């Protein structure tokens, strides 16, 4: 149970409700994300390539809900119900950082876009770290199924 002083609400969902989840059916994708996904779905994106990260509210911070997936040599982040779409191509990635503290993981990516160096971060539960392997591999230019020894 998480109490938010900011909103005065208590989050009573089971802990697993805040973990990222692999999407298996297109019907599992929240409808507000579908218009933003249409270009990739038309090009052959499979639902099993998508990971949904639910909104999580910790004491004073909020992790917004997002949908991410890899497609060919791109990693795509769809946030704010499909209003914000960020496409990072593998060739533009400069640094990928994986940070882990107890059950909290954070992915941080430095990439080049429009001649500037930018950063994208994503926090998620360590219990779902295995879902992110394909995302990390795409960013690093490895085959999706690559696993370090």
């Amino acid at each position: 149970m998480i109490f938010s002083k900011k909103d005065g609400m208590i989050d009573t969902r089971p802990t697993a409700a805040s973990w990222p989840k692999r999407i298996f059916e297109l019907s599992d994708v929240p409808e507000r994300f579908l218009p933003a996904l249409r270009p990739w779905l038309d090009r052959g994106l499979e639902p099993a390539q998508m990971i949904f990260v639910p909104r999580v509210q910790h004491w004073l911070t909020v992790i917004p809900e997002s949908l991410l997936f890899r497609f060919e040599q791109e990693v795509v982040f769809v946030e704010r119900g499909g209003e914000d779409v960020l496409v990072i191509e593998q060739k533009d990635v400069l640094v990928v950082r994986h940070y882990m503290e107890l059950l909290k993981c954070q992915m941080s990516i430095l990439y080049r876009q429009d001649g500037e160096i930018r950063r994208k971060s994503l926090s998620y539960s360590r219990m779902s770290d295995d879902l992110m392997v394909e995302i990390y591999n795409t960013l690093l230019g490895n085959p999706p199924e690559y696993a370090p020894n």
Side-chain angles (χ1 to χ4, degrees), residues 73 88-98 108-120 136 138-141:
Q73 295 299 310
I88 301 176
E89 294 185 39
Q90 191 278 323
K91 66 180 177 61
D92 296 328
V93 174
L94 303 171
V95 176
V96 177
R97 178 177 172 250
H98 179 257
S108 184
I109 307 158
L110 286 179
Y111 63 97
R112 188 175 291 115
Q113 186 179 57
D114 301 327
E116 295 181 19
I117 295 177
R118 299 181 185 213
R119 187 180 91 167
K120 171 66 181 163
Y136 282 110
T138 300
L139 291 167
L140 295 169

Side-chain angles (χ1 to χ4, degrees), residues 62-80:
V62 175
I63 299 170
E65 70 177 358
S66 60
L67 190 73
L68 64 146
F69 58 89
R70 61 172 187 83
F71 189 78
E72 296 170 357
Q73 295 299 310
E74 302 172 338
V75 172
V76 180
F77 295 85
V78 183
E79 297 176 335
R80 294 177 32 139

Side-chain angles (χ1 to χ4, degrees), residues 12-149:
T12 58
R13 296 178 301 168
T15 302
S18 66
W19 296 351
K21 298 166 190 61
R22 181 164 308 279
I23 300 291
F24 290 103
E25 300 287 331
L26 200 54
S27 60
D28 295 338
V29 176
E31 199 169 302
R32 61 191 167 278
F33 285 95
L34 290 175
L37 296 175
R38 187 59 45 207
W40 288 277
L41 292 170
D42 292 345
R43 291 172 40 204
L45 175 67
E46 296 293 324
Q49 291 173 268
M50 297 182 225
I51 300 167
F52 178 69
V53 182
R55 179 181 188 271
V56 178
Q57 185 159 341
H58 294 289
W59 290 95
L60 295 175
T61 60
V62 175
I63 299 170
E65 70 177 358
S66 60
L67 190 73
L68 64 146
F69 58 89
R70 61 172 187 83
F71 189 78
E72 296 170 357
Q73 295 299 310
E74 302 172 338
V75 172
V76 180
F77 295 85
V78 183
E79 297 176 335
R80 294 177 32 139
E83 293 178 24
D84 292 338
V85 178
L86 172 63
V87 179
I88 301 176
E89 294 185 39
Q90 191 278 323
K91 66 180 177 61
D92 296 328
V93 174
L94 303 171
V95 176
V96 177
R97 178 177 172 250
H98 179 257
Y99 174 76
M100 189 181 326
E101 180 182 336
L102 298 176
L103 293 178
K104 180 183 177 185
C105 288
Q106 184 170 0
M107 171 190 302
S108 184
I109 307 158
L110 286 179
Y111 63 97
R112 188 175 291 115
Q113 186 179 57
D114 301 327
E116 295 181 19
I117 295 177
R118 299 181 185 213
R119 187 180 91 167
K120 171 66 181 163
S121 295
L122 175 71
S123 295
Y124 58 93
S125 170
R126 182 177 182 184
M127 304 312 287
S128 303
D129 206 26
D130 59 325
L131 291 177
M132 300 298 177
V133 170
E134 294 176 358
I135 302 295
Y136 282 110
N137 281 335
T138 300
L139 291 167
L140 295 169
N142 296 329
E145 66 281 349
Y146 174 78
N149 293 333

